[in-house]
Amino acid sequence: MNLLRGEGDEPPRPTADPKIRYLYDNFYYYLEIIHSFERLYQVYGYLQKFPGLRYYNFYHIDELNWIRYHIEFFFQQNYIMHQRTVKWIRYLLNRAKHKPDKKATEVRLVELKNAVDKGFAEINKIRGQHVHEFTFEERAFDRAETAAHLASVMKEKVLVAVKNLTLFEIAMEWRKKVQANIKSMIESYDLILGVLVKIINELE
């Protein structure tokens, strides 16, 4: 309630009972994962429809910038989700290391972390390339930017149509990619969370 009322410098964290604190910490990590899932799904919605032109003109952005921003956000949320998952696993791993009778659990957590790292490796690689080289922007982005510039300068309706069609194709292509990513995430995290729940109970 202190958190909801905006009271205190930090979110309240129960400290009196070690068991409650342990369960609270795990619930917090779980909520972080859920929030990342929600933001990934929102990218799918943002690529569905563009804001009105008055919105664009006021902030000096256009449809292509809108698409590019949310694709970048998509990669960033995947990275955040990876980091949050690893942080949770490390939290449990640290707890397991302090329990001599939980060596087998410790080994399972290390294996789980390796599996998570491997699962995110490809999309993190693409994100890293984008940050340093902008390589995720395929030729469709170049076509859209060229068509948009020529349509603005030459005032040709056919170029406006080409621009709009290219933007639509880019948005639809990335909606499919985001949808496939979310589907894969749901399948993966169904297994990951299942393992974590068992380990949480073992380390309680």
Side-chain angles (χ1 to χ4, degrees):
M1 292 305 297
N2 287 342
L3 175 62
L4 295 177
R5 288 192 295 262
E7 298 175 358
D9 297 329
E10 297 181 356
R13 188 171 180 265
T15 57
D17 188 329
K19 179 179 178 180
I20 293 177
R21 185 171 65 246
Y22 170 66
L23 295 176
Y24 175 90
D25 288 343
N26 281 287
F27 181 65
Y28 180 79
Y29 286 123
Y30 169 75
L31 282 182
E32 286 192 322
I33 298 297
I34 295 301
H35 292 159
S36 287
F37 259 116
E38 291 173 347
R39 292 186 182 102
L40 281 173
Y41 189 73
Q42 287 165 2
V43 172
Y44 182 83
Y46 283 125
L47 293 175
Q48 172 73 21
K49 188 177 181 180
F50 306 132
L53 289 176
R54 291 180 63 185
Y55 180 90
Y56 283 129
N57 292 335
F58 183 80
Y59 290 104
H60 303 288
I61 60 176
D62 57 23
E63 294 96 332
L64 187 60
N65 288 330
W66 176 268
I67 294 172
R68 182 185 287 115
Y69 173 83
H70 288 101
I71 292 174
E72 292 171 357
F73 184 78
F74 162 74
F75 282 111
Q76 184 66 14
Q77 280 305 311
N78 271 274
Y79 173 78
I80 290 172
M81 193 162 187
H82 177 207
Q83 295 304 307
R84 286 177 171 176
T85 306
V86 169
K87 184 179 178 181
W88 190 2
I89 294 172
R90 284 175 176 163
Y91 167 79
L92 292 170
L93 188 57
N94 183 62
R95 187 177 179 90
K97 288 179 178 179
H98 288 83
K99 293 179 178 289
D101 61 330
K102 299 299 181 182
K103 292 298 181 183
T105 303
E106 185 179 339
V107 171
R108 287 166 59 207
L109 283 165
V110 171
E111 292 174 347
L112 180 61
K113 180 186 176 300
N114 291 338
V116 169
D117 288 339
K118 183 177 180 181
F120 278 95
E122 186 60 31
I123 199 162
N124 283 341
K125 178 181 177 182
I126 295 173
R127 174 187 172 275
Q129 290 174 336
H130 160 62
V131 169
H132 298 292
E133 304 170 19
F134 299 93
T135 55
F136 88 78
E137 297 189 2
E138 301 164 355
R139 292 183 62 84
F141 283 88
D142 293 333
R143 293 201 311 273
E145 286 184 330
T146 301
H149 176 72
L150 293 177
S152 175
V153 173
M154 300 176 66
K155 310 298 182 183
E156 291 287 343
K157 291 184 177 180
V158 65
L159 291 174
V160 174
V162 170
K163 179 199 74 170
N164 292 338
L165 178 60
T166 306
L167 290 172
F168 176 79
E169 290 174 346
I170 293 172
M172 290 304 100
E173 177 187 356
W174 278 95
R175 284 187 77 220
K176 290 178 181 178
K177 291 179 179 180
V178 171
Q179 187 178 41
N181 174 260
I182 293 172
K183 183 179 179 181
S184 175
M185 286 280 199
I186 290 173
E187 293 173 353
S188 297
Y189 273 82
D190 186 46
L191 298 173
I192 292 169
L193 293 175
V195 173
L196 287 175
V197 166
K198 293 178 181 178
I199 291 176
I200 289 169
N201 291 330
E202 291 174 10
L203 296 177
E204 188 174 323

